[in-house]
Amino acid sequence: MSGAWDDVVEAARAEPGGETLARFPGYRSGRGCLLRASELAERVGGRAEPLVFGRSAGGRPLWAVRVGSGPRRILYLANLHAMEFIGSEVVLALLEHLVAQPIDGVEVWLAPVANPDGRARAEANAAAGRRRFARANENGVDLNRNFAVGFSADYWMHRALPAIYRPGTAPFSEPETAALRDLCAAHPPHAAISFHAFGGWIFHPWACRNDPPPDARRFAEVAGRMAACMRRPYRVAQLGRWARWFRAHGAEIDYLYGTHGTLAFLMEVSRGGASAGRPGSWVDPLSWFNPPDPRPDVENVLPAALLLAGVEGAGGG
Ligand SMILES: [Zn+2]
């Protein structure tokens, strides 16, 4: 285990604040996610290796855990968007499962908190009762518009809604995406899921265009198999075809697929948490993205995510 990781854990232990969120007790805090990963990794000694792969714009550690070994490599990523806490819960549940039952011949990388500064801001909003939308990193950049494949500084949605979709000055202008780029260059994944919220979708590339990718049939087939093993199946679509007017330029799945040939999916976890019975949830952005109890949704998604670890990659290196 690296010294950098030990220092990060020690700092997290010394930090004030709970390991769960006061207003969302079913969810861990960013600090709680890190301490949970540390605890799970310690449980199995060398079989799980946590590591620090960079620093956020605000100086927080960017960390991941590697579990298992083998010729196939899978990446599970979450929380590129600040408020989408439920994805982190999914990745931590995957970690818990994988340290107990590693998959033969598969090396799994898990990065549950890809945007720790944004997350900290969303947590602070929640703690103070501020019902504010949070998506970006410390620099106000939407990290999932900052990857190199399909990047666009002047796409109309970025200009129309700069508070939501600010793509950054250039691809990988942000330390969070640059660190992911370097991690994936050193350990290119054959398959990946980036967990977001919400909607109940499994999306595949291209996100930045509506013509199908060369591996369209493969993507649809694997996504269909993932959906089929969910108790409440998600819908499947190419992200760039989700709506006639919608494109996601500079998204992680296009980068992974376009650069490394990764069989990359973006999963919109849960149907959201706003409900008629809780009027407060209508005006609270955190509630739109995160249902009060994440467990049923985590359990729903887990078999689908694990299935991906067992299927062949998209090819193309
Ligand atoms: Zn998202």
Side-chain angles (χ1 to χ4, degrees):
M1 219 172 280
S2 71
W5 173 253
D6 292 343
D7 294 347
V8 156
V9 172
E10 201 176 307
R13 284 205 183 109
E15 230 176 81
E19 291 187 33
T20 56
L21 299 176
R23 276 188 54 237
F24 290 80
Y27 291 83
R28 289 178 183 83
S29 59
R31 172 175 175 266
C33 291
L34 193 148
L35 293 176
R36 174 67 174 158
S38 166
E39 175 200 324
L40 288 168
E42 263 170 36
R43 219 184 260 181
V44 293
R47 238 181 33 235
E49 189 197 2
L51 55 114
V52 178
F53 65 92
R55 288 270 161 186
S56 67
R60 290 185 172 84
L62 302 169
W63 55 275
V65 184
R66 177 168 61 183
V67 186
S69 60
R72 281 178 46 66
R73 193 176 295 116
I74 309 294
L75 170 68
Y76 296 120
L77 176 71
N79 204 193
L80 270 170
H81 288 145
M83 284 188 301
E84 299 168 14
F85 298 159
I86 194 162
S88 308
E89 297 297 326
V90 172
V91 175
L92 286 168
L94 283 164
L95 177 61
E96 182 178 1
H97 180 96
L98 290 164
V99 293
Q101 302 171 54
I103 303 170
D104 225 21
V106 182
E107 178 181 291
V108 186
W109 287 78
L110 304 103
V113 185
N115 178 6
D117 298 342
R119 185 190 182 101
R121 199 168 60 250
E123 287 179 10
N125 286 341
R130 288 189 296 263
R131 289 166 171 159
R132 248 178 236 166
F133 188 81
R135 180 173 169 101
N137 74 347
E138 187 94 343
N139 297 331
V141 171
D142 180 344
L143 296 178
N144 213 26
R145 296 296 183 277
N146 190 243
F147 289 85
V149 173
F151 179 89
S152 171
D154 59 359
Y155 176 53
W156 72 267
M157 281 181 76
H158 301 172
R159 283 183 283 123
L161 299 165
I164 301 178
Y165 295 119
R166 223 175 104 200
T169 49
F172 300 120
S173 59
E174 305 310 299
E176 294 87 354
T177 48
L180 282 170
R181 171 198 61 199
D182 296 345
L183 184 73
C184 293
H187 312 277
H190 296 96
I193 304 177
S194 180
F195 295 97
H196 289 252
F198 59 98
W201 286 95
I202 302 173
F203 288 120
H204 66 75
W206 301 115
C208 67
R209 42 203 272 195
N210 68 355
D211 57 319
D215 295 289
R217 288 172 72 176
R218 181 83 176 124
F219 275 114
E221 183 237 328
V222 174
R225 280 169 61 195
M226 286 199 281
C229 70
M230 301 170 85
R231 198 184 305 156
R232 281 163 292 126
Y234 287 1
R235 293 159 289 178
V236 173
Q238 179 180 333
L239 184 49
R241 296 170 73 104
W242 170 66
R244 196 187 270 279
W245 47 269
F246 178 86
R247 306 282 180 275
H249 285 275
E252 80 284 58
I253 53 172
D254 281 6
Y255 179 71
L256 285 164
Y257 176 58
T259 307
H260 299 296
T262 306
L263 195 62
F265 297 93
L266 187 161
M267 208 180 269
E268 298 280 11
V269 179
S270 98
R271 306 277 172 166
S275 77
R278 295 184 309 125
S281 66
W282 308 343
V283 289
D284 181 7
L286 269 172
S287 288
W288 306 340
F289 288 86
N290 305 289
D293 180 0
R295 284 171 302 179
D297 290 288
V298 170
E299 280 162 25
N300 191 40
V301 162
L302 217 57
L306 290 168
L307 178 137
L308 185 66
V311 303
E312 295 300 309

